[in-house]
Amino acid sequence: MEALISILFDGLAYAMLLFIISVGLSVTMGLMGFVNLAHGAFAMVGGYVLVTLMTGYGLPFVAALVIAPVIVGIGSIPFERFLYAPLYKAGELDQVLLSIGLVFVTIGVVTFIYGPAPPAIPMPEFLTGQVNLGFREVPTYRFFIILIGCVMMAILWFAFERTLLGAKIRAAVDNRRMAQSVGIDVDRLFVLVFAIGSGLAALGGGLAIEIVGMSPTFAIQYLVFFLIVVAVGGLGSMGGAFVAAIVLGVLDTAGKYLWPDGGAFFIYAATVAILLYRPAGLFGRAS
Amino acid sequence: MNATVKTDPTAELRNRHRWRPVEALPWLTAFAAFALLPDYAALGTQIIIMIIFALSMDLILGYAGVVSLGHAAYFGAGAYATGMLSALLGWNEPLTGLLAGGLAGGALGLLSGLVLLRYHGLTLLMLTLAFAILLQEAANTAAPVTGGFDGLQGISIDPIFGLFENDLWGHHYYWYSLSILFLVFLVARRIVHSPFGRSLVGVRENVRRMNAIGTPVFGRLVAVYTISAAMAGIAGGLFAQSNAYVTLDVLDFARSGTVLIVLVLGGTGRLYGAFLGGAVYMVLEDELARISPEFWEIGVGLVLIAVVLFFRGGLLGASDALMRLIRGRSPR
Amino acid sequence: MSAALQLTGLDKHFGALHVTRGVDLTLEAGARHALIGPNGAGKTTLVNLVTGMLTPDAGKVSLNGRDITGLGQAERVRAGIARTFQINQLFRGLSALENVVLALSEREGIARQIWQPAGTNSAILDEAMAILSSLGVGADAGKTISGLPYGRQRLIEIAITLALKPRVLLLDEPAAGVPSVESDVILDVIAGLPSDIAILIIEHDMDVVFRFASRISVLVDGGVLTEGTPDEIARDPEVRAVYLGEESHG
């Protein structure tokens, strides 16, 4: 029983990480239909920017966790304008190739600057050790991540469902041409969504350093999982990404604990099964 | 162009399949490469294997327009089939072993294609990716049979025709793979020039119109997917034979990604793009990745971005444009 | 003698939207039948139901007495139905000739051939040229579709359907998007189509409709308002009311 709760907890923390990184990808793919395999690279860059902010500029962890996403979010805009925008009407192949190319360049640059070894960052005192939740003691950092994940979900949900901007985004995801014809500036909307998505990915990357570790191969290593969360959850569905991330995170963690030799198998089998049955994802809309 | 001369508009279609002198170029290059750089025969064999793999990819991607991120699944199936035949069952005859690799790839292609090809777009991308990874995990779990993470050992292939063994310099295997490439290429070339092959182009260009002229699209796609998977299996089988060693890498996403890059670099839908892309990529990788892996990676990335944004036809497309420029006509 | 095409009680919903309401329509062999109605009446949806792109919720589609409601698109084409699309659906990167050749290859059943080069099928190449010439676009045979003016592309779209030797031909706004200098050519071509083919044409341009059709069905809100000869339709007060204020679009 103890082990089960541990697995659940670790799985949830991992799930929140996946969610925070993948939700941006889900919305941008749902909005522009652009297959962006470089999303993991933005997460990775976020992690490394955080490392530099802390080790190079001496910023505390939480402050860096706020600043790094902003830097990456704003920094992603020129990429969107000059590399991605020309390909919105192109086929999947072009988009896949462009984003893979971007990943390679990013990995090469990061390896060149930081080297291939995983970087280390000084964690603040209050996030180490265990925290007492009343009925149980749990690792503080994982609890921290779960908290942030839930807070992010709440903020995003509120912004999506209750604000005018959110309504515009939902309209554009639902039917881009219709949204354009009622006067919504979809292109500008997209830049905003892209920047926020990349920023969130960076946040996830920063959080990931102490949980799964960071390295130049992070962008590709975890890419499959981000894509699975998006595809299984359904393009453009935040709730779908949340649910898919939880399922994936818990299943993967459980698989690794209970069956170290073949645990990963379940994730991919589950993904294939879900996509065969519901090609548009659990919460996606069949076009 | 002299306006009074009547040209038969059907001439181009009638003669498209005829051999042109320039098509001897790849084979002459292969001969010359061996003559000038015999020490690189082993690399040459691996280049040839990559070209066969890329040819198989061109059939589904370049001609039928099916984008797959998991084509290594069939390469790996062929590699393991050929390898296990030797390592586990002691069947070491190379040609039948290779055939087994092709059959394994083809069978897997048929079964998976019947399921996968009902989907398209992102879903297909994800399914092909997940399928290949699934296969890799399965191979890992089946370690007693496949060798798992440590790889399949004990592969020992008999000399070809009882005469030509895989010698230290790799000379025999160079000619062996080149012959296989030639045969595979002949088949691929016939397919793409046939009415079947042309209908694949139709599916790629406008599947809605294909449906509206009565094409059983699904059946066509499954057929070409199976053939392509069999070819990939042959490439995998050659890989197992030439390296006498098979690891989980043969099913890797990196392998699927690399063949995609190679084909796009060379130019899709031309068959010869596979030759050009394969040769250029692997030679450059051999030279540059050794010097600085990071800069090689950055270089590949930049080239990819450049190809997508500016050089849509890859190297072949760029050389076509150059030829047109030289001949004085404006590039279309 | 069964009709070339018979639609009985065709019905279709998109969620809560009732897009086709119990449509009955009969086309005899050689018919020249026009389908008119305001925008959004469901004309293209009806065509999609006939060709098999959509499955009806209820109703029957019969071709020469044979029930084809359960057949897929490709099978219906082979049974003898062909259509043009409102927006050209051509193989834009291929030549006009090859566009027609692909259709002929399917019709002749040789598209499954995997070994013989396509260029050796002389009969098909000749027939493709003949079809293009008969529509007056023989000179464009070797040219790529994307380089041709829209009006000529439209003619090639029609050429493809003729290549299929259909018994029933559905033309979805054949002159739409074509500048008026070119649309006359298209209309002449349509007027000259073989008299044994049953043709259903969707049109907005009343001049075209009255020139071409011997029978007209008026579709409003997914249902057939009325059907009759051009004279009857022209005098029908209900039809007038539907079109009141709507000038014919050129």
Side-chain angles (χ1 to χ4, degrees):
Chain A
M1 190 56 192
E2 274 294 308
L4 216 62
I5 297 190
S6 263
I7 293 176
L8 198 65
F9 205 73
D10 284 352
L12 274 179
Y14 182 43
M16 288 301 109
L17 214 54
L18 288 177
F19 168 68
I20 293 172
I21 295 180
S22 309
V23 66
L25 183 60
S26 182
V27 179
T28 54
M29 283 185 72
L31 185 51
M32 258 352 196
F34 192 99
V35 183
N36 179 17
L37 300 190
H39 193 76
F42 287 111
M44 180 175 80
V45 169
Y48 277 100
V49 167
L50 183 118
V51 168
T52 304
L53 286 176
M54 289 187 73
T55 57
Y57 293 87
L59 286 176
F61 180 64
V62 178
L65 214 51
V66 172
I67 297 179
V70 173
I71 294 178
V72 172
I74 295 181
S76 72
I77 295 179
F79 287 95
E80 189 273 333
R81 285 287 90 195
F82 294 118
L83 290 183
Y84 287 68
L87 293 182
Y88 287 152
K89 301 220 166 61
E92 293 106 41
L93 179 63
D94 287 340
Q95 297 170 355
V96 163
L97 292 171
L98 180 89
S99 45
I100 287 184
L102 196 55
V103 177
F104 282 178
V105 174
T106 312
I107 294 180
V109 169
V110 162
T111 313
F112 181 66
I113 298 179
Y114 294 92
I121 47 170
M123 286 298 292
E125 265 296 324
F126 76 97
L127 284 178
T128 57
Q130 310 251 336
V131 68
N132 196 329
L133 284 186
F135 58 93
R136 232 191 106 89
E137 288 228 330
V138 292
T140 317
Y141 190 61
R142 282 175 169 71
F143 183 62
F144 176 63
I145 293 184
I146 295 178
L147 263 183
I148 294 193
C150 293
V151 166
M152 278 282 108
M153 178 63 192
I155 294 178
L156 288 173
W157 181 86
F158 183 82
F160 237 49
E161 299 286 326
R162 293 269 185 272
T163 65
L164 182 60
L165 181 64
K168 287 187 188 173
I169 296 175
R170 275 183 291 125
V173 169
D174 195 71
N175 190 330
R176 194 187 338 156
R177 248 179 259 157
M178 209 45 196
Q180 274 170 327
S181 60
V182 299
I184 296 179
D185 188 339
V186 178
D187 277 333
R188 235 183 347 163
L189 208 60
F190 188 63
V191 178
L192 182 66
V193 170
F194 189 85
I196 294 179
S198 308
L200 281 172
L203 174 65
L207 289 170
I209 299 177
E210 278 296 309
I211 289 266
V212 295
M214 181 57 59
S215 77
T217 56
F218 181 89
I220 291 201
Q221 223 180 320
Y222 288 89
L223 174 63
V224 184
F225 297 114
F226 307 144
L227 288 177
I228 289 179
V229 167
V230 169
V232 167
L235 296 184
S237 167
M238 265 172 27
F242 195 70
V243 170
I246 291 181
V247 170
L248 180 57
V250 173
L251 261 185
D252 190 52
T253 309
K256 291 205 178 102
Y257 269 89
L258 301 173
W259 192 10
D261 273 336
F265 186 87
F266 286 125
I267 312 300
Y268 304 110
T271 301
V272 170
I274 293 178
L275 284 180
L276 287 181
Y277 176 59
R278 295 197 65 126
L282 292 173
F283 295 90
R285 46 179 25 89
S287 53
Chain B
M1 207 45 186
N2 192 341
T4 59
V5 172
K6 265 205 147 177
T7 46
D8 175 14
T10 65
E12 198 224 322
L13 292 192
R14 284 185 207 276
N15 298 316
R16 191 156 50 189
H17 62 279
R18 298 197 193 286
W19 290 87
R20 269 171 270 274
V22 71
E23 295 190 67
L25 210 53
W27 313 103
L28 293 175
T29 312
F31 275 74
F34 186 81
L36 297 173
L37 305 162
D39 292 338
Y40 284 86
L43 175 64
T45 302
Q46 296 308 311
I47 293 179
I48 290 170
I49 292 175
M50 173 59 82
I51 292 176
I52 298 177
F53 191 27
L55 274 176
S56 81
M57 190 86 196
D58 206 13
L59 284 182
I60 59 166
L61 177 67
Y63 285 90
V66 173
V67 185
S68 164
L69 287 181
H71 212 53
Y74 312 107
F75 182 90
Y80 273 107
T82 306
M84 291 194 300
L85 216 56
S86 167
L88 298 177
L89 298 179
W91 184 263
N92 298 325
E93 203 282 317
L95 293 176
T96 47
L98 195 60
L99 191 64
L103 287 173
L108 188 64
L110 177 61
L111 292 174
S112 57
L114 285 170
V115 176
L116 295 174
L117 293 168
R118 296 181 194 277
Y119 306 88
H120 32 257
L122 173 71
T123 313
L124 180 62
L125 230 51
M126 286 306 306
L127 283 173
T128 52
L129 178 63
F131 178 66
I133 298 179
L134 209 55
L135 211 61
Q136 196 180 32
E137 291 293 325
N140 191 14
T141 313
V145 182
T146 61
F149 189 74
D150 298 320
L152 188 67
Q153 285 152 5
I155 301 177
S156 158
I157 307 293
D158 288 340
I160 308 158
F161 301 134
L163 298 169
F164 308 109
E165 59 171 9
N166 194 1
D167 57 334
L168 263 160
W169 302 274
H171 291 175
H172 294 152
Y173 261 61
Y174 181 78
W175 297 110
Y176 171 43
S177 343
L178 194 61
S179 316
I180 301 293
L181 171 61
F182 185 66
L183 292 172
V184 167
F185 175 69
L186 282 183
V187 171
R189 196 177 180 283
R190 282 301 304 223
I191 292 177
V192 303
H193 282 124
S194 69
F196 172 81
R198 295 313 298 170
S199 77
L200 293 177
V201 174
V203 169
R204 182 193 77 213
E205 289 282 305
N206 192 334
V207 69
R208 203 186 256 202
R209 184 28 93 183
M210 283 311 270
N211 275 314
I213 62 174
T215 312
V217 173
F218 180 68
R220 296 277 158 84
L221 288 179
V222 171
V224 71
Y225 197 76
T226 305
I227 296 172
S228 161
M231 281 185 188
I234 290 178
L238 263 181
F239 182 90
Q241 292 178 338
S242 60
N243 291 306
Y245 189 50
V246 180
T247 63
L248 294 174
D249 280 353
V250 295
L251 294 161
D252 217 27
F253 170 57
R255 195 168 296 274
S256 297
T258 303
V259 74
L260 190 57
I261 294 173
V262 157
L263 186 62
V264 169
L265 175 67
T268 57
R270 310 279 296 268
L271 288 189
Y272 286 108
F275 287 82
L276 199 50
V280 169
Y281 182 89
M282 296 207 52
V283 167
L284 286 180
E285 183 191 46
D286 192 64
E287 294 303 303
L288 299 181
R290 228 198 323 240
I291 300 174
S292 165
E294 292 95 52
F295 281 105
W296 163 248
E297 193 140 25
I298 295 178
V300 173
L302 288 177
V303 166
L304 259 182
I305 295 176
V307 164
V308 171
L309 290 179
F310 307 118
F311 301 103
R312 306 299 297 281
L315 287 171
L316 273 187
S319 76
D320 280 351
L322 198 63
M323 286 287 113
R324 274 196 296 265
L325 214 55
I326 292 176
R327 290 207 199 113
R329 284 180 241 165
S330 62
R332 225 208 126 263
Chain C
M1 222 314 246
S2 37
L5 181 71
Q6 180 123 28
L7 310 178
T8 328
L10 274 187
D11 212 277
K12 180 73 182 170
H13 291 80
F14 284 139
L17 216 59
H18 200 174
V19 290
T20 308
R21 302 169 190 269
V23 169
D24 295 318
L25 199 130
T26 306
L27 285 184
E28 303 294 338
R32 296 291 185 263
H33 200 122
L35 186 65
I36 66 175
N39 279 322
K43 305 189 287 293
T44 300
T45 307
L46 191 64
V47 171
N48 289 342
L49 284 168
V50 175
T51 58
M53 270 176 86
L54 290 175
T55 332
D57 296 329
K60 204 166 85 151
V61 180
S62 301
L63 189 67
N64 285 336
R66 175 183 167 205
D67 187 351
I68 61 170
T69 322
L71 294 187
Q73 263 192 80
E75 291 161 308
R76 293 194 200 192
V77 171
R78 285 198 288 274
I81 296 186
R83 69 155 314 161
T84 63
F85 290 85
Q86 200 171 346
I87 301 176
N88 275 340
Q89 293 295 330
L90 296 167
F91 305 111
R92 296 182 55 79
L94 302 180
S95 68
L97 187 64
E98 185 140 38
N99 270 260
V100 180
V101 165
L102 283 179
L104 283 173
S105 304
E106 293 297 334
R107 186 198 80 199
E108 289 295 304
I110 63 153
R112 296 163 43 187
Q113 260 180 34
I114 212 169
W115 195 253
Q116 274 301 105
T120 56
N121 288 311
S122 223
I124 293 211
L125 287 169
D126 292 334
E127 188 180 342
M129 268 312 296
I131 293 177
L132 286 174
S133 303
S134 74
L135 295 187
V137 282
D140 295 326
K143 300 192 193 149
T144 314
I145 297 291
S146 51
L148 293 175
Y150 195 75
R152 303 252 200 88
Q153 291 185 23
R154 219 88 182 92
L155 285 172
I156 293 162
E157 174 108 346
I158 295 176
I160 291 182
T161 56
L162 286 182
L164 297 169
K165 289 221 175 90
R167 303 233 193 88
V168 174
L169 181 56
L170 308 165
L171 299 171
D172 197 344
E173 295 191 50
V178 177
S180 36
V181 288
E182 295 179 40
S183 57
D184 279 338
V185 179
I186 295 178
L187 298 172
D188 284 339
V189 160
I190 296 177
L193 288 173
S195 50
D196 54 340
I197 300 182
I199 300 182
L200 180 70
I201 178 169
I202 298 179
E203 249 313 331
H204 277 296
D205 188 336
M206 289 307 150
D207 292 335
V208 174
V209 172
F210 284 102
R211 169 180 162 186
F212 169 83
S214 49
R215 280 200 83 71
I216 301 177
S217 290
V218 183
L219 204 67
V220 179
D221 269 337
V224 175
L225 179 70
T226 183
E227 184 193 314
T229 65
D231 282 336
E232 290 165 359
I233 298 296
R235 280 180 271 132
D236 189 319
E238 274 189 304
V239 176
R240 281 225 182 121
V242 163
Y243 276 100
L244 197 64
E246 282 197 36
E247 290 298 317
S248 61
H249 304 284

